[in-house]
Amino acid sequence: MLIQIREEDVTPVYLQVINQVREQIASGKLKPGERLPSVRELARFLDINVNTVQKSYQGLKQMGLLVIRPARGAIVSHKAPDVLGSAQNERLLKEALVRVMKEARRLGFDKDAVLRLLRDIEAS
Amino acid sequence: MLIQIREEDVTPVYLQVINQVREQIASGKLKPGERLPSVRELARFLDINVNTVQKSYQGLKQMGLLVIRPARGAIVSHKAPDVLGSAQNERLLKEALVRVMKEARRLGFDKDAVLRLLRDIEAS
Amino acid sequence: MLIQIREEDVTPVYLQVINQVREQIASGKLKPGERLPSVRELARFLDINVNTVQKSYQGLKQMGLLVIRPARGAIVSHKAPDVLGSAQNERLLKEALVRVMKEARRLGFDKDAVLRLLRDIEAS
Amino acid sequence: MLIQIREEDVTPVYLQVINQVREQIASGKLKPGERLPSVRELARFLDINVNTVQKSYQGLKQMGLLVIRPARGAIVSHKAPDVLGSAQNERLLKEALVRVMKEARRLGFDKDAVLRLLRDIEAS
DNA sequence: GTGGTCTAGACCACA
DNA sequence: GTGGTCTAGACCACG
């Protein structure tokens, strides 16, 4: 499991961890049932605080992506694929898009302009 | 100038003010040269602290949307239209869209799905 | 005497008046002995507060450029030419230059770069 | 990081801090990636309010000289050298020089006189 | 009256 | 511990 913390990124460290784990599950690099490194292990590896990793894992558990078994470590939930494609996520994404549209209008762009910009964006 | 603070919104108050003023300039409700309420006036009206309004006005000044003249009040800058339609804003919006696309991919959506969702969003 | 207040300029109004009067004396447009408009007259003409003009005239008097005769108006002092070319002014200018040099160093420019830039400036 | 506040200086305290930090980055005493003292630490050391230091750091962030990461401290941005040598700064300096030249003309000096004075100034 | 600066003290999320 | 936000109250120069 390859994770890296960007020092210059203003995103909270615990969110950087959550996002990258979520991405790896979505892309299939992490599969249901697969074991994640222990909290202490990952904290040591990333050189961040144990509490921070703890918070990330709890967040992922809350989303239903991780199953945490005390004293036995954390594994990717078998329900993870459902969670990632769920209607709830569509709602989350919709909210994010609404926020961007509001921002766009503030900056003086209409929906068509946004759609055009979005189409031009790399799939990077 | 109609502004309202949403207590339940997590967005910092000073940003709510900035966003709403920005929106009103973008939509033409506030025109270049028009005078804004004094910091004290607006603070009293919104029932927030003077320093908070001050922070908002300073932010808007920084963006080039306001011209603030000590002891004479603040007016919408005549350069505001340029600022709002500038190439710099296109870059800002692009960055926001890239962030949303990353988020979408994490949630298991591809670009076409995002485009479809965006088209369905109200122009509210 | 042609004076105009720039609304968008952040320079205090009373200083805008002082500077323009000083300029007109330096350039010869206002000559020693010549009468200036009364405080009330100028205030009405520029649409600014009487106190502001009063402050400007007092400042000019302080510099030795104006002689104010109560109830009879203000005239350009016959000593004005001496004041404008004096050693005291050289000191003032030197201080302004020192401030600019400090600013330049902060922005990453050395003295040679500043001299080059200054030479390139229009004599506008 | 050595900073000192001059009580007798009319320059606002938060600007004194900004200027000195900027100077130290320009002169290489503070290098990209280097960590600055926390707002509380610096406030205690300079015996000024935390909010004042906060204002300074926010200003430096705005200029692109600092990267501030909540709960992780502030570091000199890796883009700081670009910011300090940029064309935008040349414009800023040019504007300052134009202002000084106007002032000089008001005081009765021409450009050659100014150049001569500038050359004589210590590089202090 | 106006905006600008500063202090003191508080609460928050994050590490 | 860190930075970010907000309040209350003060003083200043300027109009």
Side-chain angles (χ1 to χ4, degrees), chain D residues 58-111:
Chain D
Q58 286 299 326
L60 288 160
K61 171 189 162 191
Q62 200 65 30
M63 299 175 193
L65 292 177
L66 246 49
V67 175
I68 302 178
R69 305 152 307 167
R72 282 183 283 162
I75 60 171
V76 178
S77 170
H78 293 288
K79 295 172 195 151
D82 304 331
V83 173
L84 284 172
S86 71
Q88 193 211 355
N89 281 344
E90 188 170 317
R91 197 173 47 73
L92 282 174
L93 185 52
K94 240 175 196 158
E95 284 168 9
L97 286 172
V98 167
R99 275 195 301 276
V100 166
M101 270 310 303
K102 278 187 183 159
E103 176 71 9
R105 251 172 284 123
R106 254 181 247 121
L107 294 170
F109 296 88
D110 62 11
K111 200 155 112 179

Side-chain angles (χ1 to χ4, degrees), chain B residues 9-20:
Chain B
D9 195 337
V10 295
T11 312
V13 175
Y14 81 96
L15 270 185
Q16 294 190 35
V17 174
I18 285 184
N19 288 337
Q20 294 188 42

Side-chain angles (χ1 to χ4, degrees), chain C residues 18-20 22-23 26 83-86 89-90 92-94 96-98 100-109 111 113-115 117-124, chain D residues 18-20 22-23 26 83-86 89-90 92-94 96-98 100-109 111 113-115 117-124:
Chain C
I18 285 185
N19 288 338
Q20 294 187 41
R22 206 162 52 156
E23 169 108 48
V83 172
L84 283 173
S86 72
N89 282 343
E90 186 170 317
L92 282 175
L93 185 53
K94 239 176 196 161
L97 286 172
V98 167
V100 166
M101 268 313 300
K102 278 188 182 160
E103 177 70 9
R105 249 173 286 122
R106 261 182 241 121
L107 294 171
F109 297 87
K111 200 157 111 179
V114 176
L115 282 167
L117 276 171
L118 183 56
R119 253 188 294 270
D120 292 348
I121 284 176
E122 286 295 313
S124 67
Chain D
I18 285 184
N19 289 339
Q20 293 188 43
R22 208 161 53 151
E23 170 111 47
V83 173
L84 284 172
S86 71
N89 281 344
E90 188 170 317
L92 282 174
L93 185 52
K94 240 175 196 158
L97 286 172
V98 167
V100 166
M101 270 310 303
K102 278 187 183 159
E103 176 71 9
R105 251 172 284 123
R106 254 181 247 121
L107 294 170
F109 296 88
K111 200 155 112 179
V114 176
L115 281 168
L117 276 170
L118 184 54
R119 253 188 294 273
D120 291 348
I121 284 174
E122 284 297 310
S124 69

